[in-house]
Amino acid sequence: MPSVAKLTPSVASEVLKLMLTPRGARAALASAVDEQPYQVSHWLSGYTSPSPKRRENIEDLLGVSWRLWAVYEFTEDDVARAFTSAKRSKSCGVVKLVEAHEAAKRAKTGTEG
């Protein structure tokens, strides 16, 4: 049985910080989950946490388990998987999210990229 770690919601914030280092990633995530960019900053600082629905959306988009936002016990394996996903996404998932966000902005303004 995996060991259980008592961790705070800040674990999810730290994972998102790792993932959202590429330029434009925070704005892209905000847009993808229909939220304001300042809210993403609040999540990253640990000031607030996303709603349960937004947590599900973030998990679908970036692989950050909704359990990392919850204020109850979860396994160290959950944390390890989240950090592995964060490292992987720095070169793949988040980049795709940013590219899609930039393409949508270009389409909205009618400019070429």
Side-chain angles (χ1 to χ4, degrees):
M1 178 169 194
S3 63
V4 174
K6 277 193 173 187
L7 299 170
T8 65
S10 65
V11 171
S13 296
E14 292 303 316
V15 170
L16 278 181
K17 281 180 194 176
L18 282 174
M19 298 176 106
L20 299 178
T21 54
R23 184 180 174 105
R26 293 177 187 194
L29 177 62
S31 177
V33 298
D34 195 30
E35 191 56 84
Q36 296 296 316
Y38 76 87
Q39 282 292 60
V40 174
S41 294
H42 286 187
W43 301 340
L44 297 178
S45 70
Y47 183 69
T48 62
S49 293
S51 69
K53 180 63 179 163
R54 297 261 186 322
R55 292 177 200 164
E56 289 177 20
N57 292 343
I58 291 168
E59 182 170 14
D60 290 343
L61 289 166
L62 303 177
V64 177
S65 172
W66 64 269
R67 289 181 285 196
L68 294 179
W69 296 102
V71 186
Y72 64 88
E73 294 182 353
F74 48 89
T75 68
E76 290 175 0
D77 290 343
D78 291 330
V79 177
R81 277 194 299 277
F83 276 95
T84 299
S85 176
K87 289 176 191 172
R88 199 172 34 246
S89 74
K90 285 177 82 173
S91 62
C92 115
V94 173
V95 172
K96 290 178 184 174
L97 181 67
V98 171
E99 288 171 352
H101 176 67
E102 293 300 319
K105 283 193 333 190
R106 285 192 301 274
K108 196 176 206 178
T109 61
T111 60
E112 293 286 320

